[in-house]
Amino acid sequence: MSVSTQLQRYAVRALGHLGGHPFLADKRRRAQFGRWLGSGARRGVEAQQAVGRAFARRAGSVRPVRPHPTEDHGVFDLTPTDDQAMLRDAAKELATDVLRPAASAADSARGIPPEVAAAGAAMGLHLVGVPTTLDGIAESGTAVTAALVLEELAHGDLGLAVALMGTASVATALSLYGTPAQQATYLPHLTAEQPMVAALAMQEPQPLFDATTPRTNATREGDELVVTGTKALVARVAEAELFVISVTHEEAARLLIVEANTPGLTIEDEPAMGVRAAATGRLVLTDARVPAANLLGSADDHLDALRRSRVAWSALAVGTVRAVLDQVSGYVTERHAFGEPVAHRQSVAFMVANIAIDLDAMRLATWRAAALLDAGQDAREAVAHARTLTSVHAPRIGSDGVQLLGGHGFVKEFDNERWYRDLRGAGMIEGVVLA
């Protein structure tokens, strides 16, 4: 069955599955979900809009709209809310029915198939971090919800998950840090039924890169900023119509909104070892002039975005590690050698057990960091724990997955070699996605 046909079936099933959910009791939400799912099924393989749209400047409301912090109930409870459970289940179905079947071809082609992008838009992935008052679906803090969704999507395929969630990450950044004018100018293009492609660019191509001190400089000249520098591993860079990049401005790290048609902005292809479905490339700015009003948030907001990005990558790693565990658990049980399942060998059994233990540790650390971010509390230590666990254990688990499948783990017929490549980047790449 083609991915396009699966998309049609997914939309119909999703309408039935979500139709009676309490989350959709509100007529406005029900209408939004109906439009997203219906338009996704109709569009099928419709291509993305061309790069270079003009953004009409808007004043916006008096105050920016922000997601509300989550309530502190005084208990440690990992049970998702009804809204979170609904979104997680929908993401799981999307990952199983659409992402996983398309993953190998997308990795080889280095691009997200149009029907997969349409499926993500149909589900409303681009709205996860946007408050309902700004035409999104977020009622309160978004980090835990995003972590749950990212895990499920990465269980289907990490590269496609990154490709799908780039636009959502920019929308989340505008919701969290944007001024009323910035929200009014750009968010309508990101919350539309057919959202434009946008990208969050923080990584840079120099050795010993430190995301807290970007070398991309923004120098003020009157009402403009002159921007020079290079951002690396930018997802869907050739398709993106809007970028949020990190720069150094007046000796502080800041976020900056840059439109794709800005003079002095060029893009270069940058094939990567992993996350290939995200079609990564470089964004090169040479004396590019950007309105000073496009500075997004404060220096503290840049640091918050960096932490949210690290939580997002940890959630993606958890989803892919879960896929590895599912694969190897079944394989070592079914695969026989010397008259018995290879799982009966202690070295094999202990390796699989360690994957399960590390997976739980990574997931709990990620959820804790996300919960603290949602509550508006100090999440520095928790984010560092999640990032460290991801950096240390995710690459090893990817390698163990290849090792446990023997020769099967080394060929592209099986998914393990792709998971290994993707997990190498999960604890290293900065930016791209946001929780």
Side-chain angles (χ1 to χ4, degrees):
M1 183 185 300
S2 70
V3 175
S4 180
T5 302
Q6 290 173 333
L7 168 60
Q8 306 289 332
R9 296 181 61 182
Y10 165 76
V12 174
R13 284 201 308 273
L15 280 170
H17 175 68
L18 302 177
H21 199 281
F23 179 76
L24 296 182
D26 181 88
K27 292 182 179 179
R28 185 165 171 269
R29 287 182 187 162
R30 181 180 291 275
Q32 283 179 326
F33 265 81
R35 287 198 302 271
W36 300 328
L37 294 172
S39 63
R42 289 194 303 272
R43 286 198 304 268
V45 296
E46 182 176 316
Q48 299 290 331
Q49 292 180 346
V51 172
R53 77 176 72 200
F55 296 94
R57 301 288 168 177
R58 302 181 185 276
S61 57
V62 177
R63 295 182 179 178
V65 177
R66 302 281 188 249
H68 300 295
T70 53
E71 296 182 15
D72 184 1
H73 298 289
V75 295
F76 181 67
D77 185 6
L78 298 178
T79 306
T81 65
D82 289 342
D83 296 355
Q84 290 170 341
M86 183 276 297
L87 288 170
R88 180 195 61 194
D89 292 346
K92 180 179 181 179
E93 190 167 0
L94 177 69
T96 301
D97 293 351
V98 180
L99 269 62
R100 183 65 68 85
S104 180
D107 181 80
S108 298
R110 289 192 61 236
I112 180 172
E115 59 268 28
V116 175
M123 203 192 95
L125 290 177
H126 53 299
L127 304 169
V128 170
V130 182
T132 54
T133 49
L134 293 174
D135 292 329
I137 58 176
E139 293 285 2
S140 57
T142 61
V144 171
T145 302
L148 293 171
V149 170
L150 286 166
E151 177 182 337
E152 294 301 335
L153 294 177
H155 188 259
D157 183 64
L158 189 147
L160 286 173
V162 170
L164 283 173
M165 295 302 286
T167 294
S169 299
V170 172
T172 298
L174 285 165
S175 300
L176 290 170
Y177 319 125
T179 65
Q182 290 168 345
Q183 291 178 343
T185 299
Y186 297 109
L187 270 180
H189 299 278
L190 296 166
T191 59
E193 290 183 9
Q194 188 177 354
M196 68 178 177
V197 178
L200 174 66
M202 301 180 80
Q203 188 82 22
E204 293 184 346
Q206 62 261 7
L208 302 177
F209 165 64
D210 182 356
T212 64
T213 56
R215 295 189 188 178
T216 301
N217 288 308
T219 304
R220 185 153 192 156
E221 290 187 6
D223 292 333
E224 293 182 321
L225 298 176
V226 180
V227 186
T228 298
T230 301
K231 313 308 288 189
L233 297 174
V234 182
R236 301 177 73 180
V237 65
E239 300 175 74
E241 300 179 64
L242 187 72
F243 301 96
V244 169
I245 71 172
S246 59
V247 299
T248 294
H249 172 63
E250 296 179 351
E251 300 184 354
R254 302 287 298 275
L255 297 174
L256 179 67
I257 302 168
V258 180
E259 298 173 13
N261 56 8
T262 301
L265 182 154
T266 58
I267 60 173
E268 299 175 355
D269 194 24
E270 187 179 35
M273 173 183 176
V275 200
R276 291 175 59 83
T280 54
R282 290 189 178 185
L283 182 66
V284 182
L285 299 112
T286 306
D287 295 330
R289 290 185 173 271
V290 179
N294 279 21
L295 281 169
L296 180 62
S298 64
D300 287 341
D301 291 332
H302 173 274
L303 193 54
D304 181 72
L306 179 60
R307 289 170 182 155
R308 289 175 180 273
S309 169
R310 291 174 174 178
V311 170
W313 277 105
S314 295
L316 288 167
V318 167
T320 304
V321 166
R322 211 179 86 210
V324 172
L325 180 61
D326 291 346
Q327 170 84 307
V328 300
S329 296
Y331 182 85
V332 300
T333 303
E334 297 168 3
R335 176 73 170 175
H336 281 65
F338 305 105
E340 62 180 358
V342 296
H344 289 183
R345 304 289 174 175
Q346 281 190 342
S347 60
V348 172
F350 288 172
M351 189 179 291
V352 175
N354 285 336
I355 293 175
I357 293 168
D358 294 337
L359 170 61
D360 276 355
M362 291 169 58
R363 179 186 287 116
L364 288 171
T366 300
W367 286 359
R368 180 170 178 264
L372 289 173
L373 288 170
D374 279 348
Q377 299 181 24
D378 185 355
R380 289 176 295 179
E381 185 175 314
V383 172
H385 289 169
R387 179 70 165 186
T388 300
L389 287 172
T390 300
S391 301
V392 172
H393 295 296
R396 178 187 54 76
I397 291 170
S399 178
D400 287 349
V402 172
Q403 182 70 25
L404 285 165
L405 264 68
H408 288 158
F410 194 68
V411 297
K412 288 186 177 293
E413 180 183 354
F414 289 77
D415 295 318
N416 295 73
E417 64 86 26
R418 185 178 72 255
W419 294 338
Y420 167 74
R421 291 186 282 107
D422 289 345
L423 287 171
R424 293 293 300 178
M428 176 192 70
I429 299 174
E430 303 282 15
V432 186
V433 286
L434 213 65

